[in-house]
Amino acid sequence: MGMVQKSWRGKGAAAIAALLILAGCGGNGNNEGGSSSAAASPSSPASASASASASNDQAADLGKVKVVLDWTPNTNHTGLYVAADQGYWKKRGLDVEIVLPPESGADQMVATGAADFGVGAQEGLTLARENDMPIVSLAAIIQHNTSGFASPADKNIKEPRDFEGHSYGGWGSPAEQAVIGSMMQKQGADVNKVKFVNAGTADFFTAVQKDIDFEWIFYAWTGIEAEQRGIKLNMVYLSDFDKRLDYYTPVLTTSEKMIKNKPDVVRAFVEGASEGYQYAIDHPAEAADILIKANPDLNADLVKASQAWLSPKYKDDAPRWGEQKREVWSGYAEFLKEHKLLTKDLDYDAMFTNDFLPQS
């Protein structure tokens, strides 16, 4: 695919950093990618055809739409590629194109109408709403936050208090220090004893062999890759220390304009995606093969192992895939307000909707 190799580190911090840039707060965003698989170069957008061969005889022609990913194709996106491959959108009258994000990011494309749908995250969408970007979350791709702070086991960082005296590699976002500091505070530890280092685009496995002790990652990719490399990691998950950090990441997004003007298109898109993710839940091995077929530059062994780990977590304990709760949206926003990273009072009910999900 000819794209830059980058580490799939914590999308949470990356999304926040990207939106802080938009807000004029600084930060150097870096999103998900795979160090042993192709990762997107934001300056060189690419696209993958999402056409499918299923019959369209019984569906109204709703036309062509575009969905922009948040980063390089990975197992967070499997349900979308399944929906394309299996004709779940075609049978609903949609011709869907899957594209990679430009430097300005997926949220910007969705907000401006350059893309009809996108893959985002609650962190980014919350700060986007603060900046009057009319983006709405349509579904939670993963029900619980699977990100956390990873370190090689020999560094003996097993809980937040152990961050003291160690170096954290991130993006220079104030939100990173707020998250780490809040977790440490619960154990009486001092965030000022952590050395914050801007790790840039350095690969996780390279960084932790140099001057970095721990980083924010998604276990479904970097953690699984560590297993394959025979590297034992210690993980400190955000959701274990503050319920408000158990937010939705990633999510499917659209604009308020799409919901108002083309609700039938939004419904067809969400229903097709839902069917795709349900297939990935029920058939992880086959779903992994579909993702690999669409993106042959991905590390096939990593995709298959990641998919096996992640598929049960798409729906998890929710009554249906994609279901979102208001308290999750309000909780994370209140966390940001507490740490003075969010200054506006937001309408939480306007930030997400379950209305387009199929009835369970």
Side-chain angles (χ1 to χ4, degrees):
M1 298 170 71
M3 289 177 285
V4 176
Q5 300 290 318
K6 291 183 181 179
S7 171
W8 186 6
R9 298 190 285 133
K11 190 176 76 171
I16 292 171
L19 267 296
L20 286 171
I21 291 172
L22 291 176
C25 298
N28 180 23
N30 178 27
N31 213 319
E32 297 179 7
S35 59
S36 64
S37 63
S41 170
S43 61
S44 57
S47 67
S49 172
S51 60
S53 59
S55 170
N56 193 27
D57 293 342
Q58 297 179 342
D61 184 3
L62 297 175
K64 295 183 178 181
V65 296
K66 183 182 295 183
V67 56
V68 58
L69 305 182
D70 51 344
W71 203 246
T72 239
N74 56 65
T75 47
N76 279 353
H77 312 133
T78 303
L80 303 179
Y81 284 95
V82 170
D85 183 82
Q86 299 294 297
Y88 298 155
W89 284 317
K90 277 292 185 182
K91 73 180 182 182
R92 293 174 169 87
L94 275 185
D95 182 1
V96 179
E97 181 186 16
I98 301 173
V99 303
L100 299 183
E103 190 171 3
S104 57
D107 287 346
Q108 185 77 12
M109 286 187 70
V110 173
T112 61
D116 306 286
F117 303 98
V119 177
Q122 183 176 335
E123 316 94 295
L125 193 149
T126 299
L127 294 179
R129 298 290 302 200
E130 184 186 32
N131 285 281
D132 300 318
M133 296 170 66
I135 307 173
V136 180
S137 175
L138 296 167
I141 291 177
I142 302 172
Q143 190 59 214
H144 294 283
N145 188 351
T146 59
S147 73
F149 297 102
S151 59
D154 59 10
K155 294 183 183 291
N156 206 34
I157 302 173
K158 297 180 179 180
E159 49 190 327
R161 64 165 60 94
D162 299 329
F163 294 160
E164 285 191 352
H166 288 100
S167 297
Y168 166 73
W171 298 269
S173 161
E176 293 172 280
Q177 186 159 344
V179 169
I180 292 171
S182 70
M183 294 168 69
M184 295 179 69
Q185 187 176 26
K186 288 181 180 294
Q187 296 190 330
D190 185 1
V191 70
N192 293 316
K193 295 181 180 178
V194 177
K195 182 180 180 181
F196 286 81
V197 178
N198 192 326
T201 61
D203 161 75
F204 169 80
F205 298 100
T206 301
V208 294
Q209 290 178 354
K210 294 182 178 179
D211 57 348
I212 301 299
D213 295 314
F214 67 106
E215 287 190 354
W216 194 345
I217 72 164
F218 273 67
Y219 194 86
W221 199 262
T222 307
I224 297 300
E225 183 176 359
E227 290 182 11
Q228 293 188 319
R229 292 182 178 215
I231 299 172
K232 186 177 180 181
L233 297 181
N234 285 331
M235 285 293 297
V236 179
Y237 289 98
L238 278 68
S239 57
D240 288 343
F241 291 90
D242 192 328
K243 185 179 179 181
R244 297 173 300 176
L245 297 179
D246 190 14
Y247 47 75
Y248 299 123
T249 177
V251 295
L252 288 183
T253 67
T254 194
S255 64
E256 290 181 353
K257 183 177 180 180
M258 278 291 294
I259 290 175
K260 179 181 179 181
N261 296 340
K262 298 183 179 180
D264 52 344
V265 173
V266 176
R267 186 172 304 280
F269 177 80
V270 175
E271 288 183 353
S274 176
E275 193 170 358
Y277 278 99
Q278 190 59 52
Y279 180 99
I281 292 167
D282 296 335
H283 308 285
E286 294 85 347
D289 287 338
I290 290 171
L291 179 60
I292 293 164
K293 180 178 71 172
N295 302 279
D297 284 353
L298 292 175
N299 179 324
D301 290 339
L302 176 56
V303 170
K304 291 176 181 178
S306 173
Q307 196 64 63
W309 189 89
L310 191 59
S311 279
K313 293 176 172 54
Y314 288 138
K315 178 181 174 183
D316 209 296
D317 56 356
R320 56 181 170 171
W321 174 84
E323 186 86 20
Q324 301 173 84
K325 297 177 181 177
R326 187 183 190 276
E327 56 262 35
V328 176
W329 284 91
S330 63
Y332 181 66
E334 292 303 316
F335 173 86
L336 292 180
K337 288 169 69 175
E338 179 181 306
H339 292 277
K340 297 181 172 47
L341 296 171
L342 183 68
T343 58
K344 288 185 180 179
D345 290 328
L346 301 178
D347 180 357
Y348 303 130
D349 294 313
M351 295 165 67
F352 76 99
T353 179
N354 291 317
D355 291 349
F356 297 97
L357 293 172
Q359 295 301 311
S360 54

